Amino acid sequence: MDYLKGLNDRQKEAVLHGEGPLLILAGAGSGKTRVLTHRIAYLIEENRIFPGNILAITFTNKAANEMKERIADLLDGNIDDIWMGTFHSICVRILRRDIDKIGFQRSFSIYDRDDQITLMKECIKELNLSKDMYKERSVLATISTLKDSMTPPDTYINENYSDFYSKNVGELYALYEKKLKQNNALDFDDLIIKTVELFKANPTILEYYQKKFKYIFVDEYQDTNKIQYQFIRLLSGQNKNICVVGDPDQSIYGWRGADITNIIDFEKDFENATTIRLEQNYRSTQNILNVANYVIKNNYDRIDKKLWTDNNEGSQVVVENSLDSDEEARFVANKIEEHMKEGYNPSDFAILYRTNAQSRSFEEAFMRRNIPYKLVGGLRFYDRKEIKDIIAYLKLIQNPVDDISLKRIINVPRRGIGNATMEKVEGYASEIGESIYNVLLDVEQIPGLSTRAKNSLKTFIDMINKFMAMREVMGIQEFIEEVVYGVGYIKELEDEGSIESQTRLDNIKEFISVAIDFQVANPEGTLEDFLANISLLSDVDKTEDIDNSVTLLTVHSAKGLEFPIVFMVGMEEGLFPISRALESESELEEERRLCYVAITRAEKLLYISFAKIRTIYGKTNYTLPSRFIDEMPKNLIDMGKQRGGSPYQISGNTRAQSSREQLIRVQDFSKKPSTSRAKTSIDNTKVKEGTKVKHKKWGIGTIVQLKDRGDDKEIVIAFDKAGLKRLLLSIAPIEIVKGE
């Protein structure tokens, strides 16, 4: 078989490479899997290398299986002797044979996340630490980071001896490791760590595997962390036939330990290394690639390469601005419907966003239009547990005899009301034929309850009754904020401090955005109206053909995928790039790589959108277009509605814009709201630049700018503590400081 057939010159060079270290810099869509599989097949068939002398490491089982299938097709035979799999699966095979050399039994257990949490609970209890302060998931996340950086418990404890919390985390780390050993168990981090430990402690075992694996392949090398790098260095120490494939421009997992310097420094780390650049792209049009090239060249920490293609030049990348997220979602839905009339299928479209919470406005728009869609890496917004919990609270407040909603949330967040207590309450309610809420109004009459249980139930019912009263005097948005914060859900998630809890926290805050949008569209709407609207959205028939659906996913989840038409949405400063990256050059470069990954997912058409006003996580702000849009050459992009104009010009319905902006300018939805609303009675004839004013929330400030806005005035106030704020004078809750 001709293993070079159909390959370009650079791909052939990689397949035919002889001995020694090889770095294949494989740009997006450049056919790296084809090169890897053809090189392995070539070594086996043409160079007569025994399959058992080849080790191929991938990051997912899916990638490993795909490579196996392709190689089997090429060789038309049995390739079971090749060691091919993920880092973890390869290390398990090694440890099952020799882990007894470092004090574990070969029958060791592998603990998943639930097992780890159970074990950490034991550790927290044994050290008599507060379970409210030391959350299992948060502590385990810290331990995982420490393990990846090869920091042992004693070192961490000594480095943080004067920090009470961190020192105790170190003690939990030490006890956790001790208990793992007692249970003859490893967690996932240990699988690689213990393999490296085995190699270092037993040179003869290391030498065995060095001789066995004459050729080593590592896919997605830019995503390796420190311990994975050590594992690879040790195994390749004798034959030096290490072939790594990757792209530093697609290194987007620094937040979970990936070290981009592993690929950047490959030529330094492996003497006499050869580097081959795969720059021909088989996926996208040249215009899309040009935009990607211009954006990524702004990164300093990279190895230079430039993608090109034999595909046609293609259409310009369209950059579209909108007033807000709802208008952005309508734009995307409209474009999808237009292209479907041209013959595209729903599965040809992908919506890429920076955070999962952004999916909500697109889900709602697609449900209203009956556009089938699927979410990658997450539940539909209204199917998420935390959203169902908050909706259950609202349903109970609206309809207190809703036993289903009450039972769902009576102990969410945890308030000491267990199953045994609820069985007694339900039994009594059933016996006298009343709802659970009604019997809880006179909790003393319920037999068999402890004093502690009665107190917990009283606290709960008092809280619900308070919310029922507040509902009558508050707008929807303000009321829902009171509920979300008042039930303690947000505090519990903030205290937990894990990645999972932060995602759930973002989703709950995004639910506040739903309330804001509803209030804008329905100023007189009631809680009953709001819940009816939610029910219509969340109960839409979900039996559509999931395989022929628009795909909604984060950019991180999109890596390795491709779609004919891609929408990159929410391209705004503080969202993409994410706000936490703006103060760190290395994190900003990772955000730019993430943008590069997003751009290069598109095959034929790419749309980029941003909004002037963004309501997300319950906070509404004016936004600026992402700096990454500025890095795109203007001759390669079509500015959508404002063709030939500035990306900062906003079009849209003036009346809707005015209503929306008035609401936004006077409210900050990022914090727990006040239960009262201030109204201005200021005489606008007395207002001028330099006037000192007082705001009930932001304190004393000075008016630094006035602008006419139709019959109103827009004022910019420099507050002593809150900084610059922009308000409409007619509804600004301010008063002139006496003496002015």
Side-chain angles (χ1 to χ4, degrees):
M1 181 176 180
D2 184 0
Y3 296 105
L4 304 180
K5 186 178 180 180
L7 301 182
N8 64 42
D9 290 344
R10 296 287 77 75
Q11 291 173 331
K12 290 177 183 176
E13 185 181 348
V15 169
L16 295 173
H17 174 77
E19 303 288 301
L22 173 63
L23 167 62
I24 301 176
L25 281 176
S30 62
K32 70 179 179 66
T33 304
R34 182 180 176 88
V35 172
L36 264 179
T37 53
H38 279 244
R39 175 162 171 75
I40 291 172
Y42 186 84
L43 286 172
I44 294 170
E45 192 68 18
E46 300 296 328
N47 290 8
R48 300 300 178 189
I49 301 298
F50 174 58
N53 292 140
I54 293 174
L55 169 66
I57 304 174
T58 64
F59 268 83
T60 66
N61 289 316
K62 179 182 177 183
N65 291 333
E66 182 184 350
M67 285 179 61
K68 283 180 182 177
E69 290 173 4
R70 290 202 193 187
I71 294 169
D73 287 343
L74 288 170
L75 295 177
D76 194 26
N78 190 337
I79 58 163
D80 289 344
D81 289 325
I82 298 178
W83 277 44
M84 186 176 295
T86 64
F87 277 97
H88 294 99
S89 65
I90 296 297
C91 287
V92 167
R93 290 183 69 175
I94 294 171
L95 292 173
R96 287 292 182 204
R97 181 183 175 204
D98 288 309
I99 198 172
D100 57 305
K101 308 296 193 303
I102 54 173
F104 285 79
Q105 298 174 33
R106 294 180 184 178
S107 59
F108 63 87
S109 299
I110 301 172
Y111 277 5
D112 63 15
R113 175 59 58 160
D114 289 340
D115 297 325
Q116 290 178 268
I117 289 171
T118 300
L119 188 60
M120 183 52 66
K121 283 180 180 176
E122 289 183 15
C123 295
I124 292 169
K125 183 177 180 180
E126 191 168 319
L127 293 182
N128 198 27
L129 296 174
S130 167
K131 61 182 180 181
D132 293 324
M133 181 177 291
Y134 297 91
K135 300 290 186 180
E136 298 92 2
R137 293 180 185 276
S138 180
V139 174
L140 287 168
T142 300
I143 290 173
S144 180
T145 300
L146 292 171
K147 285 189 173 186
D148 282 346
S149 64
M150 298 175 288
T151 304
D154 289 346
T155 301
Y156 186 72
I157 292 169
N158 291 334
E159 289 175 350
N160 295 277
Y161 207 80
S162 59
D163 184 320
F164 177 77
Y165 177 84
S166 296
K167 178 178 177 293
N168 282 336
V169 169
E171 298 289 353
L172 287 170
Y173 181 13
L175 182 57
Y176 172 78
E177 290 291 274
K178 179 182 176 182
K179 284 181 173 289
L180 280 174
K181 183 73 178 291
Q182 289 172 347
N183 293 344
N184 191 41
L186 305 180
D187 61 23
F188 276 93
D189 295 315
D190 286 332
L191 295 176
I192 306 175
I193 291 168
K194 294 302 179 186
T195 306
V196 170
E197 184 182 322
L198 172 68
F199 287 164
K200 289 183 175 179
N202 296 269
T204 54
I205 293 175
L206 173 61
E207 186 179 6
Y208 167 81
Y209 286 105
Q210 286 178 334
K211 288 181 177 178
K212 174 175 176 57
F213 299 130
K214 291 182 168 59
Y215 292 88
I216 298 172
F217 295 81
V218 185
D219 193 14
E220 303 288 6
Y221 189 64
Q222 76 280 349
D223 294 333
T224 54
N225 61 24
K226 289 183 179 179
I227 194 67
Q228 290 163 339
Y229 168 79
Q230 279 220 7
F231 174 71
I232 294 161
R233 284 281 294 194
L234 287 167
L235 278 182
S236 61
Q238 188 172 107
N239 289 302
K240 312 292 186 185
N241 290 323
I242 171 78
C243 171
V244 303
V245 183
D247 181 5
D249 290 337
Q250 297 186 71
S251 178
I252 58 174
Y253 297 115
W255 51 276
R256 70 182 187 195
D259 188 349
I260 193 173
T261 62
N262 290 349
I263 191 167
I264 296 288
D265 294 338
F266 182 85
E267 292 173 314
K268 297 178 186 175
D269 295 337
F270 294 89
E271 193 175 348
N272 299 320
T274 299
T275 298
I276 297 174
R277 290 169 169 78
L278 303 183
E279 297 172 302
Q280 183 175 358
N281 175 282
Y282 293 91
R283 173 189 302 157
S284 306
T285 65
Q286 189 62 56
N287 266 338
I288 290 172
L289 296 181
N290 287 342
V291 169
N293 287 332
Y294 270 98
V295 169
I296 199 62
K297 76 176 184 179
N298 289 280
N299 270 7
Y300 173 78
D301 209 3
R302 65 185 296 261
I303 303 173
D304 187 53
K305 69 178 187 316
K306 188 174 182 180
L307 295 180
W308 62 276
T309 184
D310 281 336
N311 296 337
N312 60 42
E313 187 174 291
S315 302
Q316 286 183 307
V317 171
V318 174
V319 177
E320 183 78 9
N321 64 38
S322 303
L323 172 64
D324 55 25
S325 56
D326 286 342
E327 186 175 296
E328 179 182 50
R330 287 195 296 273
F331 161 73
V332 171
N334 288 340
K335 282 296 175 186
I336 288 174
E337 288 180 338
E338 285 178 23
H339 288 306
M340 285 173 64
K341 289 176 182 176
E342 297 168 359
Y344 285 96
N345 296 312
S347 57
D348 292 329
F349 303 93
I351 318 299
L352 305 186
Y353 37 73
R354 181 61 181 82
T355 64
N356 271 311
Q358 291 171 256
S359 73
R360 194 260 311 170
S361 58
F362 299 99
E363 291 185 64
E364 292 183 0
F366 294 165
M367 284 189 276
R368 291 189 180 103
R369 306 281 191 95
N370 290 318
I371 297 174
Y373 73 91
K374 62 182 177 182
L375 281 167
V376 174
L379 291 170
R380 294 166 180 263
F381 184 78
Y382 291 108
D383 287 344
R384 292 162 181 160
K385 177 186 181 299
E386 55 274 16
I387 302 304
K388 284 182 171 290
D389 288 343
I390 297 301
I391 291 173
Y393 270 106
L394 298 177
K395 285 181 176 179
L396 179 63
I397 294 164
Q398 173 65 29
N399 174 27
V401 298
D402 181 352
D403 284 354
I404 299 298
S405 293
L406 185 147
K407 287 190 289 185
R408 179 182 180 96
I409 48 82
I410 195 165
N411 199 40
V412 178
R414 289 170 291 185
R415 48 177 64 95
I417 303 173
N419 292 334
T421 296
M422 284 308 297
E423 285 175 8
K424 293 172 184 175
V425 172
E426 285 187 74
Y428 180 69
S430 177
E431 183 182 323
I432 67 172
E434 289 281 0
S435 69
I436 295 174
Y437 172 80
N438 283 339
V439 301
L440 289 179
L441 289 173
D442 192 4
V443 73
E444 294 293 344
Q445 300 302 312
I446 304 174
L449 295 181
S450 67
T451 301
R452 181 179 178 184
K454 289 178 181 178
N455 289 337
S456 295
L457 290 167
K458 283 179 183 176
T459 301
F460 172 77
I461 213 70
D462 287 346
M463 177 183 70
I464 296 300
N465 288 339
K466 180 189 75 170
F467 287 140
M468 287 179 181
M470 293 170 69
R471 176 194 62 183
E472 302 300 327
V473 296
M474 286 184 173
I476 291 298
Q477 170 264 321
E478 187 178 17
F479 172 68
I480 289 176
E481 278 192 311
E482 286 288 352
V483 173
V484 165
Y485 283 88
V487 300
Y489 213 131
I490 282 185
K491 184 178 186 304
E492 183 177 70
L493 293 174
E494 287 176 339
D495 289 344
E496 184 175 317
S498 66
I499 293 174
E500 294 92 337
S501 67
Q502 182 59 51
T503 299
R504 294 176 65 199
L505 190 61
D506 289 344
N507 290 334
I508 291 176
K509 290 182 177 179
E510 178 61 14
F511 186 70
I512 298 173
S513 301
V514 178
I516 294 170
D517 290 340
F518 178 82
Q519 184 168 310
V520 171
N522 307 273
E524 304 301 321
T526 64
L527 178 59
E528 187 177 6
D529 297 331
F530 177 77
L531 289 172
N533 184 61
I534 292 297
S535 295
L536 290 173
L537 288 171
S538 56
D539 292 339
V540 167
D541 179 30
K542 298 171 185 175
T543 60
E544 67 267 10
D545 180 6
I546 206 72
D547 291 328
N548 190 23
S549 304
V550 177
T551 304
L552 281 74
L553 69 172
T554 64
V555 184
H556 280 102
S557 300
K559 189 168 180 292
L561 303 178
E562 55 191 51
F563 303 89
I565 301 177
V566 167
F567 294 86
M568 289 172 59
V569 299
M571 289 294 291
E572 298 137 26
E573 285 292 291
L575 187 54
F576 199 173
I578 204 82
S579 57
R580 62 176 175 268
L582 299 180
E583 296 179 5
S584 165
E585 191 60 36
S586 62
E587 289 188 34
L588 185 58
E589 290 209 352
E590 180 152 322
E591 289 290 299
R592 188 174 283 109
R593 293 194 291 271
L594 197 57
C595 179
Y596 174 83
V597 167
I599 294 169
T600 54
R601 297 313 92 194
E603 297 173 353
K604 297 179 180 178
L605 296 173
L606 174 63
Y607 293 92
I608 295 172
S609 66
F610 63 91
K612 179 183 180 183
I613 297 165
R614 176 71 59 179
T615 303
I616 190 167
Y617 309 144
K619 184 177 181 181
T620 304
N621 282 318
Y622 283 102
T623 66
L624 290 174
S626 169
R627 68 189 63 201
F628 302 144
I629 294 177
D630 279 346
E631 294 170 358
M632 301 173 186
K634 297 302 176 276
N635 64 307
L636 296 179
I637 60 178
D638 177 348
M639 292 307 299
K641 286 183 298 191
Q642 62 293 329
R643 288 180 180 84
S646 163
Y648 297 85
Q649 295 172 349
I650 302 295
S651 63
N653 183 289
T654 305
R655 181 175 298 174
Q657 181 172 337
S658 175
S659 170
R660 178 79 169 166
E661 292 187 278
Q662 284 185 18
L663 179 67
I664 289 160
R665 284 184 173 127
V666 296
Q667 297 187 58
D668 178 356
F669 302 110
S670 63
K671 297 182 175 66
K672 190 177 185 298
S674 167
T675 56
S676 63
R677 290 175 182 266
K679 294 186 178 180
T680 185
S681 58
I682 196 167
D683 183 350
N684 62 17
T685 63
K686 294 182 179 180
V687 172
K688 59 182 183 296
E689 291 182 4
T691 300
K692 279 197 175 299
V693 295
K694 182 178 180 180
H695 187 284
K696 288 197 171 184
K697 180 176 182 180
W698 296 321
I700 302 296
T702 303
I703 295 176
V704 295
Q705 189 179 77
L706 287 117
K707 289 183 179 179
D708 289 329
R709 285 287 182 266
D711 297 332
D712 207 341
K713 287 186 183 294
E714 179 185 273
I715 56 175
V716 178
I717 305 173
F719 288 98
D720 296 344
K721 295 182 179 178
L724 290 175
K725 300 291 181 181
R726 192 181 303 270
L727 309 169
L728 279 184
L729 182 59
S730 64
I731 51 176
I734 60 173
E735 58 186 38
I736 295 176
V737 175
K738 289 182 180 180
E740 286 297 312

